[in-house]
Amino acid sequence: GKDPVKEEAASTADWNTHEIDMISKFSMFRRLTICVAPLNGRYPVLFNYPLLKRLDISYCDCLKWDLNALTKLRCLKELNVDTSNSLTGNINSLRVLKATLEKVHIRNCKIEGDFMDLADFPRLKSVALYYCSGVTGDVREIGENDFPVLESLMLGEGAISSTRHEFQRIADVPSAAGAIYRLNRRDPPLIRSLDNFCWSLSCDSPEWYAKNGKAGHPSPPLFVNFVRAGSRVGWRWKANVRYNQISNSCEINWLDPEPGRESNDYDVYIRELQSIQEDIFCFEGYRQPPSQDEYKRLCDEYYGI
């Protein structure tokens, strides 16, 4: 292809070559799949199918292309790209396909942009932009009328409130948790499961601190997860648990009111609540991580070590 990767071209110089441009004769393609193909460089012919509805490209690290190349695929409904390191571009380029796109799954690629640029796509049902560190945005900005028919949303670490997001400020977590809960309760739910979320305070945050060096002391509660007791949902800060250590959590920040005593759910709620609260001891009374000095004091007072 044009503009090949020189190192790859040198290492494959003795391979048999094929005339890729010949596929341009098949102008009626509805689906094109390119997987582990030894393509090196740019091949504009691959993106010149006006009737194409589905494009799958995976594990083609030397196939150079940009999201702008999709402008001629005006009927495209599904775009699936996995581990193609030579893909570049901004997801804003997908706006030319606003009227047709139903699925956008891009994984482990060097693209960038704000995922909210897709918010007004009327047919978009599934978005997965993960292991794409250049993709940013904030789930808290999703409004009631955004992503009107979306059924599934997966975002990488660059987007605020993604499943593995690392926060810079403790104060940002309550609004993020509220946004995720709101999207989980939307009909249809934009986020189907809260179990996949494992947030943490970034090691680069000025509020982060390391574990007390004293033996037997727990790690500081700098991780966040959602919890459920019966139908009631909440979230909490907790310590990272390793090597069968006892978990240690802060108090639960509830997003739902407590069920009434006469409700069918009340007995289940009380039973599951007792189980959840078993690991609240050292940080009892705290709904967010204590300061480093408070953490050391609490550990000394509770464990007496």
Side-chain angles (χ1 to χ4, degrees), residues 207-224:
E207 298 175 297
W208 185 90
Y209 54 88
K211 177 183 178 181
N212 193 340
K214 295 183 179 180
H217 286 195
S219 299
L222 302 180
F223 290 78
V224 179

Side-chain angles (χ1 to χ4, degrees), residues 43-112:
Y43 299 84
V45 67
L46 298 177
F47 306 97
N48 193 23
Y49 296 99
L51 301 180
L52 196 71
K53 293 186 177 181
R54 175 169 173 170
L55 176 62
D56 299 81
I57 300 177
S58 55
Y59 301 98
C60 297
D61 284 343
C62 295
L63 171 59
K64 294 183 177 182
W65 63 291
D66 189 279
L67 290 177
N68 280 323
L70 303 176
T71 55
K72 295 182 179 180
L73 308 182
R74 293 306 179 98
C75 292
L76 194 67
K77 292 183 177 182
E78 294 189 29
L79 174 64
N80 301 288
V81 187
D82 190 355
T83 314
S84 294
N85 289 330
S86 293
L87 168 61
T88 58
N90 193 300
I91 57 177
N92 181 266
S93 301
L94 298 178
R95 293 196 60 79
V96 297
L97 304 173
K98 173 182 172 181
T100 60
L101 271 180
E102 298 177 0
K103 178 180 178 181
V104 177
H105 284 198
I106 303 178
R107 175 182 179 271
N108 197 22
C109 295
K110 298 176 181 177
I111 61 170
E112 60 184 13

Side-chain angles (χ1 to χ4, degrees), residues 4-263:
V5 178
K6 294 180 180 179
E7 295 80 2
E8 182 71 11
S11 66
T12 59
D14 58 345
W15 288 20
N16 292 330
T17 60
H18 301 277
E19 182 55 54
I20 301 300
D21 286 348
M22 66 176 294
I23 69 170
S24 63
K25 299 177 182 179
F26 302 96
S27 59
M28 305 295 286
F29 273 163
R30 298 298 194 277
R31 176 175 177 177
L32 177 61
T33 299
I34 307 172
C35 181
V36 201
L39 298 172
N40 186 7
R42 301 185 183 279
Y43 299 84
V45 67
L46 298 177
F47 306 97
N48 193 23
Y49 296 99
L51 301 180
L52 196 71
K53 293 186 177 181
R54 175 169 173 170
L55 176 62
D56 299 81
I57 300 177
S58 55
Y59 301 98
C60 297
D61 284 343
C62 295
L63 171 59
K64 294 183 177 182
W65 63 291
D66 189 279
L67 290 177
N68 280 323
L70 303 176
T71 55
K72 295 182 179 180
L73 308 182
R74 293 306 179 98
C75 292
L76 194 67
K77 292 183 177 182
E78 294 189 29
L79 174 64
N80 301 288
V81 187
D82 190 355
T83 314
S84 294
N85 289 330
S86 293
L87 168 61
T88 58
N90 193 300
I91 57 177
N92 181 266
S93 301
L94 298 178
R95 293 196 60 79
V96 297
L97 304 173
K98 173 182 172 181
T100 60
L101 271 180
E102 298 177 0
K103 178 180 178 181
V104 177
H105 284 198
I106 303 178
R107 175 182 179 271
N108 197 22
C109 295
K110 298 176 181 177
I111 61 170
E112 60 184 13
D114 190 329
F115 77 90
M116 287 296 293
D117 285 338
L118 309 178
D120 59 345
F121 282 38
R123 299 177 182 271
L124 197 57
K125 296 180 179 179
S126 181
V127 172
L129 302 166
Y130 46 105
Y131 299 115
C132 300
S133 58
V135 175
T136 60
D138 192 336
V139 173
R140 293 173 294 186
E141 296 179 358
I142 299 177
E144 182 179 351
N145 298 319
D146 292 331
F147 300 104
V149 299
L150 198 66
E151 299 174 353
S152 176
L153 177 65
M154 295 181 63
L155 300 170
E157 66 277 8
I160 295 177
S161 308
S162 61
T163 54
R164 294 293 184 269
H165 186 67
E166 296 181 354
F167 288 85
Q168 289 293 324
R169 301 195 315 151
I170 291 174
D172 287 337
V173 175
S175 60
I180 295 299
Y181 172 76
R182 172 173 55 85
L183 297 176
N184 174 254
R185 292 301 176 97
R186 207 166 85 162
D187 185 20
L190 194 55
I191 295 174
R192 294 189 174 276
S193 175
L194 300 177
D195 297 336
N196 298 325
F197 286 83
C198 183
W199 292 337
S200 63
L201 187 66
S202 172
C203 295
D204 298 328
S205 167
E207 298 175 297
W208 185 90
Y209 54 88
K211 177 183 178 181
N212 193 340
K214 295 183 179 180
H217 286 195
S219 299
L222 302 180
F223 290 78
V224 179
N225 73 325
F226 287 89
V227 296
R228 186 186 300 272
S231 61
R232 195 182 191 192
V233 174
W235 62 275
R236 63 181 176 179
W237 290 93
K238 63 183 298 183
N240 192 21
V241 179
R242 294 182 178 179
Y243 309 118
N244 296 321
Q245 292 177 330
I246 297 176
S247 178
N248 216 322
S249 302
C250 294
E251 301 282 358
I252 301 169
N253 299 284
W254 292 108
L255 297 165
D256 288 316
E258 183 177 52
R261 292 179 177 272
E262 304 301 322
S263 69

